[in-house]
Amino acid sequence: AMTDCEPMTSLPYLPSKVQYPQPLESNSHQKWTQGARCFEYTSACDPPIAPVPAIAFDATLHLQDGPTEVLPFDLSATFGTSYPATSPNLLASFLRINEGEMLETDASATSQAFYVIRGAGRSVFTHPITGTEETIDWQQGDLMALPALVGRVKHFAVESTLELEPTITAATSVGAQLLPNTLPCSLYWINDSPLLGYLGVKPSVPKFGPTYYPNSTLWGCLERVKHEPGSEHRNRIGILLGNQATDPSTCVPPQSTGTLTLTHVLWSLLNILPAGDVQRPHRHQSIALDLAVCAPAGMVYTLMGPELDEATGMVKNPRRIDWVAGAAFVTPPGWWHSHHHDGVAGVDAPAIVLPIQDAGLHTYMRSLDIQFASKHQS
């Protein structure tokens, strides 16, 4: 409590030469000084707050049988927050919705993203501008982005496996082997409620409109990028998901942020990793909450760490996180990370990863600082 804190003039580590003004005789301002603190610069400019851990979240959380529920990846104990958080700005969760059942989600957030890992259904919400009830039908491989909303989102799973769509044609065209499209439904849900919790604010203005990305569009674009000349030499082979509200070619500032990102806060990449390939390290200050959409068992992994080996340009003393289809993992800010597929080219299926980051916010702040390791280190 504030009353238990010592006044700043009694802190023992302050230089003795610092002179503090005496309280006014009337004590009219003394009550406002109780919360004030002064810290010596070199010892306080980089305080020892808890780092973001490199950690994985098991796919069995949503693939195993269980009740219809939200399964959050809550690291609030690590960060010391009073609200759930997977990173300081974002919260990731799995949704499991049994056939014929409904699950409500509620987030005080400006941005929400839902990716359908398996199953089919629909989501019902109140449009933040018109106040009308709206519905988005979804199936495996779809993604939807929702802005600040009034009220909860209701997610309904289909009644029977007979209502499920067959395997995504566009996905098979790039060789991807997705999880079996069965029930219950599994969704990957990301929102920026921790950012608002930290700021102590509530969303009041929707910054973009509800946006739906059908799997045919996503996988069709990914296929075209994969077959472009020279794509095999790129640092990543994928598509960034954008939005009209972040695209300056369709909206000019201040209507557009110009960030070319999923929302003004969220950023997302659908990245394909062919068998036998290594995607060399890069790093950025945003935190990635990665979903392994599909990956041949035991063949695919990420190596990550804070330093590069100057001789090889690869991650030095890396932490290894294996990709498991339907599982998620955290890539800490500023860590170099490379993706590896030890399968045989032309024989084994490619892997797909979907990182969702707070890089929309970082791009706007000009603090993303994305860097790519050179292929020819000294």
Side-chain angles (χ1 to χ4, degrees), residues 9 39 43 81 89 141 158 194 220 228 235 239 291 303 307 331 338 347 350 360 377:
T9 52
F39 303 99
S43 62
T81 62
N89 288 341
V158 294
E228 287 180 354
N235 185 265
I239 55 170
L291 174 70
L303 297 180
E307 297 182 72
T331 302
S338 57
V347 175
Q377 298 293 114

Side-chain angles (χ1 to χ4, degrees), residues 278-318:
V278 173
Q279 293 182 341
R280 292 181 63 83
H282 74 207
R283 52 160 287 179
H284 38 74
Q285 295 305 321
S286 53
I287 299 169
L289 307 181
D290 303 85
L291 174 70
V293 175
C294 58
M299 298 183 185
V300 189
Y301 53 92
T302 291
L303 297 180
M304 61 175 71
E307 297 182 72
L308 280 183
D309 185 309
E310 294 184 1
T312 64
M314 301 304 286
V315 182
K316 184 178 181 179
N317 300 322

Side-chain angles (χ1 to χ4, degrees), residues 97-242:
I97 314 173
N98 291 317
E99 58 186 276
E101 295 186 4
M102 184 271 289
L103 177 64
E104 290 186 337
T105 56
D106 187 18
S108 179
T110 72
S111 299
Q112 302 184 61
F114 298 86
Y115 176 79
V116 184
I117 301 171
R118 64 173 182 173
R122 70 185 191 279
S123 295
V124 180
F125 56 92
T126 301
H127 195 287
I129 299 297
T130 65
T132 56
E133 184 175 274
E134 303 290 348
T135 299
I136 294 178
D137 295 307
W138 41 260
Q139 58 179 300
Q140 186 181 37
D142 292 352
L143 186 144
M144 58 182 174
L146 299 180
L149 299 174
V150 177
R152 301 184 175 190
V153 183
K154 296 181 179 180
H155 309 276
F156 297 85
V158 294
E159 299 281 346
S160 167
T161 55
L162 298 177
E163 299 180 62
L164 297 178
E165 295 289 333
T167 303
I168 302 170
T169 303
T172 57
S173 67
V174 298
Q177 297 178 357
L178 303 182
L179 286 169
N181 193 21
T182 61
L183 294 173
C185 297
S186 295
L187 281 73
Y188 187 51
W189 177 34
I190 304 285
N191 66 71
D192 62 359
S193 60
L195 173 60
L196 276 67
Y198 174 71
L199 296 174
V201 299
K202 294 183 178 181
S204 58
V205 178
K207 299 290 289 184
F208 61 96
T211 311
Y212 169 61
Y213 303 79
N215 63 60
S216 57
T217 297
L218 297 179
W219 294 94
C221 290
L222 185 62
E223 181 183 14
R224 288 194 294 272
V225 168
K226 178 177 182 279
H227 291 102
E228 287 180 354
S231 64
E232 68 275 12
H233 302 302
R234 293 170 178 164
N235 185 265
R236 300 292 187 266
I237 306 173
I239 55 170
L240 287 174
L241 277 58

Side-chain angles (χ1 to χ4, degrees), residues 310-366:
E310 294 184 1
T312 64
M314 301 304 286
V315 182
K316 184 178 181 179
N317 300 322
R319 162 80 185 275
R320 172 171 169 160
I321 293 187
D322 290 285
W323 293 17
V324 178
F329 60 93
V330 178
T331 302
W335 276 31
W336 295 97
H337 48 286
S338 57
H339 302 319
H340 303 253
H341 193 323
D342 289 346
V344 178
V347 175
D348 294 305
I352 308 287
V353 67
L354 179 74
I356 299 180
Q357 308 177 13
D358 53 359
L361 183 62
H362 277 280
T363 301
Y364 176 73
M365 293 173 61
R366 285 70 168 172

